Structures are given as C-alpha cells and as structure tokens.
Amino acid sequence: ILYDIMANKFIETGVKLSQFRLKVSFSDDSKSVYFVDSAGYLSKFNVASSMTTRISQQQYVGYWPLKIPGKQQFLLQQDWGLSSLTTEIVSVNNPVVGGDAAKQVVVNNGLAIRAIEGVDDNGFIFASVKPNRQLELWRYKEGKAFKLEEFVEKADYRYPLSLHWQQGSEQALLSVDGSCRSININTGKDSPLCPKGESLYAGTYSADLQSIYFAAFDNNQSKAVKMGRTGYPLEAMPLLKNANMVRDGGKGILYYRIEPGNDIYQFDLAEQKPKKLIAR
C-alpha cells in the first residue's frame, strides 16, 4: 500500500508479498516500486499505470531489493539457503590413520548442503536446501551425485534436519519439521513414520536396528525418547535427562549431548549410569 503525502490518502497497489519478502525500493524518479514477488522474481510496479512487470528471468535471486541510485543495478539480500552454508562435500585422507590430509571435492551441486549420511557401497545420501528454502534429497553413488526425484518436497520442511541410514537396508530416516519420515535411499520415495502430535528431532537407529532414539522437546526442555522402528511404541528415557542427539555405540553404551552444551556423555544401559566422556 502506498501513501500519498500531498493528498493524505492510501493507494492500494494489488501487490501481494509473502512474509519472507516484505521489503520494497523506489526507482530514482519514484515512479516505480521494486519488489520480489511471491514466485521469487524481481519485479516492478508502475505507480501511474498500476501495472506490474517482472524484470528478472531467474527465480529466487534474493530478497529485499535496494535500487542503487543512478544505476540500473540492485543489491539483493541473499536467500537463507545460499548463505553461510557449504555447497561442497570433500573427501580428506584422514591423518589420524596415516593419511596425508589431502582434500578432494566430491560433490558441488550449487546448493546449500546439510545432513550427510554414509550408506553402503562407499556412497552417501545428503540433503540440499534450494534458494526458495525447500529441501531436496540427493545420493552419491559410483562417483556421481544425483537427485532423488521421488522425494516429495514441501515448503514447510525446515532446519533442523538429520539423516540416519538403517544399515543393511535401502531405507534411511529423515528427521525434519519436528517429525520423521522413512526414505528409500535409491529413489527418495518417503512415507511418514513418527506419530502425529510429537516433537521429535535427530532420529538415530539403535545398534540392533529394532528401535530409534530421538531428542524430544517438552515445554522447551530437551529429553530423550525411544521409539520402535515401526513407529510404536514411544517410550520416555528419564535417566537421559536433557539429552540431545542420542547415538547407540553398541554393547549397551549410548552417547549423547546435554542441551544446551557440546560436551559428550556416555550412558551404560547395564549399570544405568551416565558419565561425562568428552568436555568440549
């Protein structure tokens, strides 16, 4: 909505902006308003004619356009999915086991990369975040990275997210949007697994693959829960108070962090005792 100072009245423009793209910028002569439309294109609204035209061919180049005075150029805030996150996956010859620490780029798909998870055949799956914030799933196999086309992308999928492979199978667990989904690592075909109404994060399979551990939140307080691999039953783990990101090391030992913090704790299921393992 424009406001005419001289006439003391509001002028409806018909321009609709999403909550992520609310900022606008005037042209040098104030006859036009620049904005990013709901589809992600840089656009121009002419005040006199009330006409809107798109002036960019590419979607999701950014938001909050700032016209540079005297030039046909703009500054645009970069979208979240393309900022401060790596677009590369690299392999490193691990010096801890005698490697020379040399690095090699394995994947660069031009998108922000999150949640890398190794699978059999020396490959891995990973999540990429597009400039419009939507999530894609990819697989790296036999030296090539390809998108898992059958994964249903949804606008409401947001970070935090994680992936964990069910060893010996073609399934992985995607924890996202406070819930979880079972993913086929070859196709991306996904189906809901976690029960509705629960806020579950960072799912990991138990060593025997019969259960899944989660970090859950109750009144903003982190806690650990355990779920059967089929989605039932869901049990609280009160001895792992404030636990976040539980990993099963096998032989009756669990590893976890305490929220908030980065120290790593160990829990012995046989002795039912926790202890701090690593201070970070």
Side-chain angles (χ1 to χ4, degrees):
I1 299 174
L2 300 176
Y3 177 66
D4 189 321
I5 298 176
M6 301 301 294
N8 191 28
K9 67 176 183 179
F10 291 102
I11 303 171
E12 292 282 350
T13 65
V15 173
K16 304 294 184 183
L17 300 176
S18 75
Q19 60 177 320
F20 299 112
R21 307 180 184 280
L22 292 177
K23 307 299 182 180
V24 300
S25 180
F26 277 97
S27 61
D28 294 345
D29 57 11
S30 297
K31 293 182 179 180
S32 299
V33 177
Y34 299 103
F35 64 98
V36 176
D37 68 17
S38 58
Y41 293 95
L42 180 62
S43 302
K44 178 175 68 173
F45 174 79
N46 185 286
V47 177
S49 66
S50 297
M51 295 291 293
T52 297
T53 55
R54 288 177 174 172
I55 59 176
S56 70
Q57 295 181 339
Q58 185 178 351
Q59 280 181 291
Y60 307 116
V61 291
Y63 61 98
W64 196 344
L66 177 63
K67 172 71 169 59
I68 299 177
K71 296 183 178 180
Q72 294 302 308
Q73 294 178 330
F74 295 86
L75 293 176
L76 288 101
Q77 177 68 45
Q78 202 171 40
D79 266 352
W80 173 85
L82 295 181
S83 66
S84 72
L85 304 176
T86 181
T87 61
E88 293 183 346
I89 297 175
V90 301
S91 65
V92 180
N93 292 331
N94 190 350
V96 176
V97 293
D100 59 5
K103 298 179 181 179
Q104 178 182 359
V105 176
V106 176
V107 173
N108 187 334
N109 64 356
L111 300 175
I113 292 174
R114 291 281 193 179
I116 306 166
E117 171 70 2
V119 299
D120 56 7
D121 68 24
N122 293 318
F124 52 86
I125 54 175
F126 61 96
S128 283
V129 183
K130 298 194 294 186
N132 66 348
R133 304 187 182 207
Q134 284 191 337
L135 183 69
E136 295 180 348
L137 293 184
W138 288 62
R139 176 153 187 198
Y140 179 85
K141 184 178 181 181
E142 298 176 350
K144 295 182 180 180
F146 54 92
K147 180 181 173 182
L148 300 179
E149 297 289 352
E150 292 188 32
F151 175 67
V152 179
E153 301 171 20
K154 294 185 178 180
D156 57 352
Y157 284 166
R158 292 286 184 269
Y159 186 81
L161 61 94
S162 67
L163 287 164
H164 199 233
W165 176 50
Q166 183 180 355
Q167 292 188 19
S169 77
E170 295 183 343
Q171 297 299 123
L173 183 75
L174 170 66
S175 300
V176 67
D177 197 35
S179 188
C180 71
R181 306 187 71 82
S182 180
I183 306 292
N184 184 295
I185 63 174
N186 295 312
T187 65
K189 184 175 177 58
D190 61 309
S191 58
L193 183 60
C194 285
K196 292 183 178 180
E198 301 288 342
S199 294
L200 305 176
Y201 299 87
T204 60
Y205 287 98
S206 61
D208 62 8
L209 303 178
Q210 298 304 305
S211 303
I212 304 172
Y213 295 104
F214 290 97
F217 285 89
D218 185 10
N219 294 324
N220 293 322
Q221 185 65 57
S222 177
K223 63 181 182 181
V225 297
K226 183 180 180 181
M227 185 181 80
R229 66 174 183 176
T230 61
Y232 179 86
L234 190 65
E235 309 170 48
M237 304 181 69
L239 294 179
L240 272 67
K241 187 177 181 181
N242 300 346
N244 187 1
M245 191 62 180
V246 180
R247 288 272 185 169
D248 190 347
K251 300 180 180 180
I253 299 296
L254 301 178
Y255 301 97
Y256 61 99
R257 292 187 302 133
I258 288 181
E259 183 72 26
N262 294 309
D263 296 339
I264 298 175
Y265 291 77
Q266 173 182 295
F267 187 84
D268 190 313
L269 290 170
E271 298 182 2
Q272 296 286 284
K273 290 183 179 179
K275 73 173 182 179
K276 184 185 286 188
L277 192 65
I278 299 174
R280 296 195 296 171

